[in-house]
């Protein structure tokens, strides 16, 4: 099974596109890229593919989780040991192995903020080779907490409806487009 992103296949077939430089660009490429990465509403990071040592992480890690970016860089295993929820740690470590073997991984997991709050993150990571020929992993962690809360509220609402339907002495029929999808015991 091919686990690579279909967009990667398309990218290989497309001709190289020129990058346009914004009018506000002053010539400081490093500053421009740092500002760009800091403005993205996601955690952007890069790690050594062989050691998994994080070598860059943008400031969003502080905004979303309260952790200092330098903690990710200075403390080996900080992300997996401190930030990843213990119940999701095995899946997180499997995703680390998958990106190294397959070139890409995707995972949604729980992260712990410095206040103990759970933040759901959707992660995508790609294996790449830098200009010096070193294997790198580059990733993006997006906050999907609101989506996860909405999914949980929908599940709870469906469960409440199911319990009410089962307890009702009145017939309950769920239909869509003229087709009956579900009935309760009282209907039968």
């Amino acid at each position: 099974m091919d686990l690579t992103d279909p967009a990667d296949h398309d990218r290989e077939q497309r001709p190289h596109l020129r990058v346009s430089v914004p009018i506000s660009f002053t010539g400081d490429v490093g500053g421009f890229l740092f500002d760009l990465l800091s403005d993205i509403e996601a955690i952007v990071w890069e790690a050594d593919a062989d050691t998994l040592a994080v070598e860059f992480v943008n400031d969003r890690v502080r905004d979303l989780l309260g952790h200092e970016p330098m903690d990710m860089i200075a403390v080996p295993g900080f992300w997996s040991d401190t930030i990843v929820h213990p119940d999701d740690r095995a899946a997180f470590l499997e995703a680390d192995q998958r990106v190294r073997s397959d070139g890409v991984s995707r995972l949604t997991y729980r992260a712990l903020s410095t206040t103990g709050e759970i933040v759901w993150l959707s992660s995508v990571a790609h294996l790449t080779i830098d200009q010096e020929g070193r294997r790198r992993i580059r990733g993006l962690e997006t906050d999907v907490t609101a989506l996860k809360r909405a999914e949980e509220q929908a599940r709870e609402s469906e469960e409440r409806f199911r319990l009410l339907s089962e307890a009702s002495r009145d017939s309950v029929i769920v239909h869509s487009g003229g087709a009956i999808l579900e009935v309760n015991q009282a209907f039968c």
Side-chain angles (χ1 to χ4, degrees):
M1 173 168 51
D2 183 7
L3 297 176
T4 58
D5 188 341
D8 291 340
H9 298 292
D10 294 341
R11 204 174 298 119
E12 293 170 3
Q13 298 171 0
R14 283 186 248 150
H16 180 70
L17 301 175
R18 294 190 181 270
V19 177
S20 61
V21 178
I23 295 171
S24 63
F25 181 67
T26 61
D28 176 13
V29 174
F32 171 75
L33 291 176
F34 183 81
D35 289 346
L36 179 66
L37 291 174
S38 293
D39 288 342
I40 293 174
E41 290 290 328
I43 299 169
V44 179
W45 56 270
E46 181 178 77
D48 181 286
D50 298 319
T51 66
L52 296 179
V54 174
E55 296 179 357
F56 170 81
V57 64
N58 69 350
D59 290 337
R60 286 295 173 208
V61 73
R62 183 185 310 113
D63 300 338
L64 287 175
L65 302 172
H67 294 283
E68 290 300 318
M70 283 309 297
D71 290 340
M72 310 305 121
I73 296 167
V75 180
F78 186 86
W79 195 274
S80 59
D81 295 341
T82 304
I83 293 177
V84 176
H85 190 282
D87 293 342
D88 295 340
R89 202 161 285 143
F92 182 85
L93 295 172
E94 287 173 17
D96 279 348
Q97 295 304 318
R98 197 168 44 254
V99 72
R100 294 196 296 184
S101 64
D102 300 342
V104 66
S105 72
R106 297 176 193 289
L107 176 70
T108 300
Y109 65 95
R110 290 166 291 181
L112 300 172
S113 74
T114 56
T115 63
E117 179 184 356
I118 291 178
V119 179
W120 282 92
L121 296 176
S122 177
S123 174
V124 61
H126 289 271
L127 181 66
T128 189
I129 307 293
D130 69 12
Q131 291 120 344
E132 286 84 37
R134 298 175 302 174
R135 290 171 12 111
R136 319 296 297 155
I137 299 173
R138 292 181 178 151
L140 184 77
E141 315 288 313
T142 307
D143 182 359
V144 293
T145 305
L147 176 64
K148 285 294 190 178
R149 285 186 184 140
E151 288 172 354
E152 180 61 27
Q153 289 172 346
R155 275 191 298 277
E156 289 172 359
S157 177
E158 289 169 3
E159 179 63 12
R160 281 192 307 274
F161 174 77
R162 186 188 63 76
L163 292 172
L164 286 171
S165 175
E166 288 175 0
S168 177
R169 287 188 242 164
D170 295 327
S171 295
V172 176
I173 303 168
V174 177
H175 62 89
S176 176
I180 295 176
L181 303 176
E182 187 178 339
V183 298
N184 68 347
Q185 189 62 36
F187 179 81
C188 299

